[in-house]
Amino acid sequence: MSNELVPKTGFALAPMDNSLLDMIREELDGLGSIPFDVVKIPSGGGVAFEVPGDDPDNPDVVKELTGVIIEHHPMNSYWADAYSGGNVAPDCASMDGKTGIVAATGECIDCSMCKFNQFGSDTDGRGKACKNLHRIYILREGEVLPVIFNVPPTSLKPFKDYLAKRLLLKGKRANQVVTRITLKKAQNAGGISYSQAVFSKAADLTPEQMEVLQPTIKAVREMARQVPVDFIEQVDSDEPAPFEE
């Protein structure tokens, strides 16, 4: 008997059970956190996502990203030098958008007071040197583990509006619905094109689905803030920063 639950919309979920969690913990013991796949947002105003598949060198290209947002959290990352290739860890990173940890010293920094987290601190003199992203763990149809989608600075407001106006004010949490994410081409105040994420609700989960997803939600929440910031976030952050209004 299949363990997949299919709501009226036809969206199938493959829930994670305790035996799978135990196997993951045992096999990855000493190897660090789970290497979640990361969905990349295109540069230059492209409207298709790159989703990792079985061949790392040939990702799938899709027009929309649909699934259940299992977990999400703010994340700040600062690189002193521009990206020049390779997997380079940030010089300072925050996994909650509030407290940054300086890599070289382990010093804790209040992100709200940090000079690199202020408008005007980037090389253009208008944006921020520190990149404010929002990491989303989205569980796609038929998958056991979610993929990571980093909401870039220029898409933070649309994501906040979606959570607040379309879900929370209607009594729904992000992990109780199927969310659809698409891209549209936009321009910043400097006339530079970039890709902006558009969020919409595709369907409500059934009470049965919400119940069966609880082990997955718990497991991902435990693992989420252990996933380090890496060079992918730096590349994703190279879109034009939003200017202060």
Side-chain angles (χ1 to χ4, degrees):
M1 183 176 179
S2 173
N3 66 346
E4 292 189 349
L5 294 183
V6 184
K8 294 179 181 178
T9 58
F11 190 87
L13 293 174
M16 184 184 298
D17 57 28
N18 290 328
S19 62
L20 178 59
L21 281 172
D22 291 339
M23 182 174 67
I24 290 173
R25 292 188 181 106
E26 286 182 20
E27 294 293 327
L28 292 181
D29 185 30
L31 294 175
S33 59
I34 289 180
F36 291 97
D37 284 333
V38 179
V39 177
K40 292 190 65 176
I41 194 167
S43 60
V47 293
F49 299 98
E50 289 187 5
V51 182
D54 294 334
D55 183 354
D57 295 325
N58 293 287
D60 298 327
V61 179
V62 298
K63 288 286 190 179
E64 64 179 46
L65 187 63
T66 302
V68 181
I69 297 176
I70 298 296
E71 171 69 337
H72 63 90
H73 63 84
M75 182 179 70
N76 295 339
S77 53
Y78 168 72
W79 283 266
D81 300 319
Y83 180 67
S84 58
N87 191 342
V88 182
D91 295 284
C92 183
S94 170
M95 301 308 291
D96 62 3
K98 298 177 182 178
T99 302
I101 307 297
V102 179
T105 64
E107 179 187 1
C108 294
I109 300 292
D110 181 348
C111 292
S112 66
M113 302 298 292
C114 177
K115 64 180 181 180
F116 297 119
N117 197 32
Q118 311 302 318
F119 283 102
S121 60
D122 69 350
T123 54
D124 293 331
R126 300 189 68 179
K128 294 182 179 182
C130 182
K131 305 303 181 182
N132 302 151
L133 305 176
H134 203 93
R135 188 183 266 177
I136 289 178
Y137 290 79
I138 185 163
L139 187 65
R140 304 174 75 205
E141 184 172 20
E143 299 291 335
V144 176
L145 284 175
V147 295
I148 289 176
F149 171 59
N150 294 305
V151 182
T154 50
S155 295
L156 290 178
K157 186 179 186 303
F159 180 58
K160 179 181 178 181
D161 286 348
Y162 169 66
L163 285 180
K165 299 176 182 178
R166 303 292 175 256
L167 300 183
L168 296 176
L169 291 181
K170 296 182 180 180
K172 294 287 185 180
R173 292 183 178 272
N175 58 28
Q176 295 176 333
V177 304
V178 179
T179 294
R180 179 184 296 111
I181 309 173
T182 56
L183 297 171
K184 70 176 182 179
K185 186 175 182 178
Q187 285 189 335
N188 71 355
I192 300 175
S193 296
Y194 62 92
S195 304
Q196 186 175 63
V198 178
F199 301 85
S200 60
K201 189 180 79 169
D204 292 314
L205 293 182
T206 66
E208 292 79 13
Q209 285 180 307
M210 286 187 279
E211 178 63 27
V212 81
L213 273 180
Q214 291 310 305
T216 304
I217 293 171
K218 180 180 178 181
V220 172
R221 282 179 174 171
E222 290 175 357
M223 296 182 286
R225 286 167 177 77
Q226 300 174 23
V227 178
V229 180
D230 63 19
F231 78 105
I232 293 176
E233 273 87 10
Q234 187 175 16
V235 175
D236 285 350
S237 298
D238 281 344
E239 68 151 23
F243 294 151
E244 184 176 29
E245 296 180 355

